[in-house]
Amino acid sequence: AQSVTQPDIHITVSEGASLELRCNYSYGATPYLFWYVQSPGQGLQLLLKYFSGDTLVQGIKGFEAEFKRSQSSFNLRKPSVHWSDAAEYFCAVGARGNTPLVFGKGTRLSVIA
Amino acid sequence: DVKVTQSSRYLVKRTGEKVFLECVQDMDHENMFWYRQDPGLGLRLIYFSYDVKMKEKGDIPEGYSVSREKKERFSLILESASTNQTSMYLCASRSSGTGPGKTQYFGPGTRLLVL
């Protein structure tokens, strides 16, 4: 069975600074990988996804993520954080076949001036 | 755009009441899911459905049941609400294909308070 670890529960960054959110997964084959964002009181919105091919994936709102098979990681990055990026971020892994996604516990991002 | 709607954004119920949470999707998706979200615990899968009249237990099905009579609608039922079911409930749907079809689309959530 697959699993996801997001090691950081809460991260605080200054506006304009770069951001990296960590995600490690466990799965025996090539996974499907996702990053979702949740603003307070809202549902989850898809930021980006990896299925195959280029390991650097571009998403919405200026985010990107890199799939590193050797490290079982799919870290999310943004070069310059805006105050509106403050939210909770979830990494998820999907297996081949018809099983549900498995989510990490999330990383809460705070942005300070 | 995929649209997943949930019948209520906020709900307040009394202990012992039977509670229905409704979810509707407009993209003809085969798969639908119910999660609950609690601080520090992330998203936990309650039930999911691969197709009409089909259901599978997730990680925490106790105290819940589901109904999928039509493809677009997936209902979560709390048979006798308890205070420990106070939570945010999220519905999601996706097509049954592989590759990009694996993306799950979420509704806005229902915040349930059981008194």
Side-chain angles (χ1 to χ4, degrees), chain B residues 63-76:
Chain B
Y64 303 94
S65 63
V66 289
S67 173
R68 185 118 182 253
E69 295 298 316
K70 293 186 177 182
K71 193 173 188 179
E72 68 271 17
R73 189 179 298 269
F74 191 36
S75 303
L76 179 69

Side-chain angles (χ1 to χ4, degrees), chain B residues 16-20 63-66 76-82 85:
Chain B
E17 278 192 77
K18 191 169 187 175
V19 181
F20 293 86
Y64 303 94
S65 63
V66 289
L76 179 69
I77 305 155
L78 286 64
E79 297 290 345
S80 178
S82 63
Q85 292 178 310

Side-chain angles (χ1 to χ4, degrees), chain A residues 36 38 41 51 97-99 101, chain B residues 9 37 50 94 99 102 104:
Chain A
Y36 286 85
Q38 185 182 34
F51 293 104
N98 216 15
T99 56
L101 296 183
Chain B
R9 293 299 303 275
Q37 182 182 18
Y50 289 131
R94 73 174 183 201
K102 299 289 283 190
Q104 287 182 204

Side-chain angles (χ1 to χ4, degrees), chain A residues 8-24:
Chain A
D8 305 304
I9 297 172
H10 183 206
I11 285 182
T12 299
V13 300
S14 298
E15 192 169 16
S18 64
L19 170 70
E20 183 169 30
L21 301 182
R22 297 183 289 165
C23 172
N24 293 98

